[in-house]
mmCIF file of all heavy atoms in Angstrom:
data_model
loop_
_atom_site.group_PDB
_atom_site.id
_atom_site.type_symbol
_atom_site.label_atom_id
_atom_site.label_comp_id
_atom_site.label_asym_id
_atom_site.label_seq_id
_atom_site.Cartn_x
_atom_site.Cartn_y
_atom_site.Cartn_z
ATOM 1 N N ARG P 938 77.946 153.145 72.837
ATOM 2 C CA ARG P 938 77.275 153.019 74.064
ATOM 3 C C ARG P 938 77.096 154.265 74.789
ATOM 4 O O ARG P 938 77.755 155.245 74.472
ATOM 5 C CB ARG P 938 78.186 151.978 74.954
ATOM 6 C CG ARG P 938 78.369 150.561 74.442
ATOM 7 C CD ARG P 938 77.007 149.774 74.561
ATOM 8 N NE ARG P 938 77.160 148.562 73.866
ATOM 9 C CZ ARG P 938 76.717 148.243 72.654
ATOM 10 N NH1 ARG P 938 76.112 149.088 71.930
ATOM 11 N NH2 ARG P 938 76.788 146.957 72.243
ATOM 12 N N TYR P 939 76.154 154.233 75.815
ATOM 13 C CA TYR P 939 75.901 155.547 76.673
ATOM 14 C C TYR P 939 77.247 156.073 77.085
ATOM 15 O O TYR P 939 78.134 155.336 77.679
ATOM 16 C CB TYR P 939 75.044 155.199 77.835
ATOM 17 C CG TYR P 939 73.650 154.852 77.508
ATOM 18 C CD1 TYR P 939 73.170 153.612 77.877
ATOM 19 C CD2 TYR P 939 72.912 155.528 76.698
ATOM 20 C CE1 TYR P 939 71.895 153.100 77.586
ATOM 21 C CE2 TYR P 939 71.507 155.167 76.306
ATOM 22 C CZ TYR P 939 70.974 154.008 76.768
ATOM 23 O OH TYR P 939 69.842 153.572 76.482
ATOM 24 N N GLY P 940 77.441 157.354 76.828
ATOM 25 C CA GLY P 940 78.630 158.043 77.303
ATOM 26 C C GLY P 940 79.720 157.959 76.512
ATOM 27 O O GLY P 940 80.787 158.714 76.775
ATOM 28 N N ASP P 941 79.802 157.238 75.362
ATOM 29 C CA ASP P 941 80.889 157.257 74.427
ATOM 30 C C ASP P 941 80.915 158.619 73.781
ATOM 31 O O ASP P 941 79.903 159.378 73.633
ATOM 32 C CB ASP P 941 80.644 156.220 73.230
ATOM 33 C CG ASP P 941 80.934 154.817 73.609
ATOM 34 O OD1 ASP P 941 81.302 154.487 74.794
ATOM 35 O OD2 ASP P 941 80.690 153.860 72.916
ATOM 36 N N LEU P 942 82.143 158.961 73.427
ATOM 37 C CA LEU P 942 82.365 160.388 73.044
ATOM 38 C C LEU P 942 82.557 160.511 71.582
ATOM 39 O O LEU P 942 83.144 159.597 70.914
ATOM 40 C CB LEU P 942 83.517 161.001 73.749
ATOM 41 C CG LEU P 942 83.582 161.100 75.288
ATOM 42 C CD1 LEU P 942 84.843 161.696 75.774
ATOM 43 C CD2 LEU P 942 82.398 161.925 75.783
ATOM 44 N N VAL P 943 81.974 161.583 70.978
ATOM 45 C CA VAL P 943 82.246 161.882 69.585
ATOM 46 C C VAL P 943 82.815 163.261 69.471
ATOM 47 O O VAL P 943 82.195 164.169 70.085
ATOM 48 C CB VAL P 943 80.987 161.779 68.761
ATOM 49 C CG1 VAL P 943 81.227 162.219 67.255
ATOM 50 C CG2 VAL P 943 80.487 160.326 68.656
ATOM 51 N N ILE P 944 83.879 163.457 68.894
ATOM 52 C CA ILE P 944 84.428 164.732 68.606
ATOM 53 C C ILE P 944 84.236 165.086 67.125
ATOM 54 O O ILE P 944 84.910 164.528 66.307
ATOM 55 C CB ILE P 944 86.069 164.738 68.899
ATOM 56 C CG1 ILE P 944 86.262 164.390 70.384
ATOM 57 C CG2 ILE P 944 86.606 166.142 68.652
ATOM 58 C CD1 ILE P 944 87.679 164.159 70.752
ATOM 59 N N PRO P 945 83.316 166.079 66.887
ATOM 60 C CA PRO P 945 83.057 166.348 65.434
ATOM 61 C C PRO P 945 84.159 166.855 64.655
ATOM 62 O O PRO P 945 84.835 167.742 65.078
ATOM 63 C CB PRO P 945 81.903 167.395 65.505
ATOM 64 C CG PRO P 945 81.386 167.192 66.806
ATOM 65 C CD PRO P 945 82.462 166.681 67.795
ATOM 66 N N SER P 946 84.485 166.241 63.544
ATOM 67 C CA SER P 946 85.402 166.764 62.540
ATOM 68 C C SER P 946 84.784 167.734 61.608
ATOM 69 O O SER P 946 85.543 168.454 61.021
ATOM 70 C CB SER P 946 86.075 165.596 61.833
ATOM 71 O OG SER P 946 85.127 164.767 61.104
ATOM 72 N N SER P 947 83.406 167.661 61.536
ATOM 73 C CA SER P 947 82.647 168.481 60.511
ATOM 74 C C SER P 947 81.220 168.342 61.103
ATOM 75 O O SER P 947 80.838 167.393 61.665
ATOM 76 C CB SER P 947 82.846 168.244 59.168
ATOM 77 O OG SER P 947 82.321 166.885 58.869
ATOM 78 N N ALA P 948 80.410 169.243 60.499
ATOM 79 C CA ALA P 948 78.904 169.119 60.988
ATOM 80 C C ALA P 948 77.982 169.544 59.732
ATOM 81 O O ALA P 948 78.045 170.692 59.311
ATOM 82 C CB ALA P 948 78.547 169.959 62.118
ATOM 83 N N ALA P 949 77.316 168.627 59.250
ATOM 84 C CA ALA P 949 76.418 168.911 58.043
ATOM 85 C C ALA P 949 75.057 169.280 58.598
ATOM 86 O O ALA P 949 74.852 169.035 59.809
ATOM 87 C CB ALA P 949 76.267 167.678 57.109
ATOM 88 N N SER P 950 74.223 169.876 57.757
ATOM 89 C CA SER P 950 72.871 170.184 58.327
ATOM 90 C C SER P 950 71.829 170.130 57.166
ATOM 91 O O SER P 950 72.239 169.903 55.878
ATOM 92 C CB SER P 950 72.968 171.668 58.865
ATOM 93 O OG SER P 950 73.330 172.664 57.765
ATOM 94 N N ASN P 951 70.611 170.375 57.488
ATOM 95 C CA ASN P 951 69.596 170.386 56.386
ATOM 96 C C ASN P 951 69.785 171.578 55.494
ATOM 97 O O ASN P 951 70.245 172.708 55.950
ATOM 98 C CB ASN P 951 68.243 170.562 57.140
ATOM 99 C CG ASN P 951 67.922 169.409 58.007
ATOM 100 O OD1 ASN P 951 68.062 169.470 59.175
ATOM 101 N ND2 ASN P 951 67.363 168.250 57.511
ATOM 102 N N PRO P 952 69.462 171.457 54.194
ATOM 103 C CA PRO P 952 69.513 172.604 53.318
ATOM 104 C C PRO P 952 68.737 173.742 53.819
ATOM 105 O O PRO P 952 67.532 173.520 54.402
ATOM 106 C CB PRO P 952 69.031 172.031 51.998
ATOM 107 C CG PRO P 952 69.093 170.490 52.124
ATOM 108 C CD PRO P 952 68.999 170.203 53.567
ATOM 109 N N GLY P 953 69.159 174.987 53.630
ATOM 110 C CA GLY P 953 68.490 176.144 54.072
ATOM 111 C C GLY P 953 68.647 176.207 55.651
ATOM 112 O O GLY P 953 69.661 176.312 56.105
ATOM 113 N N GLY P 954 67.503 176.149 56.370
ATOM 114 C CA GLY P 954 67.471 176.345 57.805
ATOM 115 C C GLY P 954 68.173 177.547 58.277
ATOM 116 O O GLY P 954 68.153 178.616 57.649
ATOM 117 N N THR P 955 68.652 177.557 59.545
ATOM 118 C CA THR P 955 69.248 178.739 60.101
ATOM 119 C C THR P 955 70.507 179.210 59.411
ATOM 120 O O THR P 955 70.573 180.473 59.109
ATOM 121 C CB THR P 955 69.581 178.303 61.538
ATOM 122 O OG1 THR P 955 68.426 178.054 62.337
ATOM 123 C CG2 THR P 955 70.203 179.584 62.260
ATOM 124 N N ILE P 956 71.394 178.285 58.998
ATOM 125 C CA ILE P 956 72.596 178.734 58.260
ATOM 126 C C ILE P 956 72.155 179.365 56.900
ATOM 127 O O ILE P 956 72.743 180.371 56.478
ATOM 128 C CB ILE P 956 73.540 177.500 58.138
ATOM 129 C CG1 ILE P 956 73.958 177.028 59.475
ATOM 130 C CG2 ILE P 956 74.618 177.937 57.219
ATOM 131 C CD1 ILE P 956 74.823 175.790 59.445
ATOM 132 N N GLY P 957 71.102 178.803 56.330
ATOM 133 C CA GLY P 957 70.548 179.395 55.087
ATOM 134 C C GLY P 957 70.219 180.770 55.178
ATOM 135 O O GLY P 957 70.037 181.567 54.245
ATOM 136 N N GLN P 958 69.720 181.197 56.387
ATOM 137 C CA GLN P 958 69.247 182.650 56.635
ATOM 138 C C GLN P 958 70.448 183.485 56.589
ATOM 139 O O GLN P 958 70.296 184.725 56.264
ATOM 140 C CB GLN P 958 68.602 182.717 57.970
ATOM 141 C CG GLN P 958 67.305 182.044 58.123
ATOM 142 C CD GLN P 958 66.226 182.864 57.474
ATOM 143 O OE1 GLN P 958 65.734 182.572 56.302
ATOM 144 N NE2 GLN P 958 65.732 184.042 58.011
ATOM 145 N N TYR P 959 71.550 183.052 56.869
ATOM 146 C CA TYR P 959 72.853 183.762 56.924
ATOM 147 C C TYR P 959 73.507 183.862 55.556
ATOM 148 O O TYR P 959 73.988 184.833 55.024
ATOM 149 C CB TYR P 959 73.842 183.310 57.901
ATOM 150 C CG TYR P 959 73.550 183.535 59.401
ATOM 151 C CD1 TYR P 959 72.752 182.801 60.186
ATOM 152 C CD2 TYR P 959 74.101 184.742 59.943
ATOM 153 C CE1 TYR P 959 72.495 183.001 61.531
ATOM 154 C CE2 TYR P 959 73.899 184.914 61.323
ATOM 155 C CZ TYR P 959 73.107 184.129 62.031
ATOM 156 O OH TYR P 959 72.806 184.365 63.330
ATOM 157 N N VAL P 960 73.587 182.689 54.902
ATOM 158 C CA VAL P 960 74.242 182.523 53.738
ATOM 159 C C VAL P 960 73.313 181.801 52.653
ATOM 160 O O VAL P 960 73.065 180.571 52.732
ATOM 161 C CB VAL P 960 75.490 181.694 53.821
ATOM 162 C CG1 VAL P 960 76.316 181.637 52.475
ATOM 163 C CG2 VAL P 960 76.371 182.261 54.876
ATOM 164 N N LYS P 961 72.829 182.574 51.720
ATOM 165 C CA LYS P 961 71.830 181.943 50.781
ATOM 166 C C LYS P 961 72.389 181.401 49.496
ATOM 167 O O LYS P 961 71.745 180.558 48.889
ATOM 168 C CB LYS P 961 70.785 182.997 50.353
ATOM 169 C CG LYS P 961 69.981 183.624 51.702
ATOM 170 C CD LYS P 961 69.013 184.666 51.228
ATOM 171 C CE LYS P 961 68.338 185.366 52.447
ATOM 172 N NZ LYS P 961 67.680 184.426 53.351
ATOM 173 N N ASP P 962 73.676 181.786 49.191
ATOM 174 C CA ASP P 962 74.194 181.355 47.837
ATOM 175 C C ASP P 962 75.519 180.474 47.961
ATOM 176 O O ASP P 962 76.115 180.363 46.866
ATOM 177 C CB ASP P 962 74.461 182.605 47.032
ATOM 178 C CG ASP P 962 75.367 183.594 47.696
ATOM 179 O OD1 ASP P 962 75.684 183.432 48.932
ATOM 180 O OD2 ASP P 962 75.942 184.478 46.995
#
Side-chain angles (χ1 to χ4, degrees):
R938 298 291 177 256
Y939 293 126
D941 283 359
L942 301 177
V943 175
I944 301 171
S946 57
S947 62
S950 62
N951 301 97
T955 298
I956 296 174
Q958 288 285 103
Y959 284 88
V960 183
K961 302 182 185 301
D962 58 346

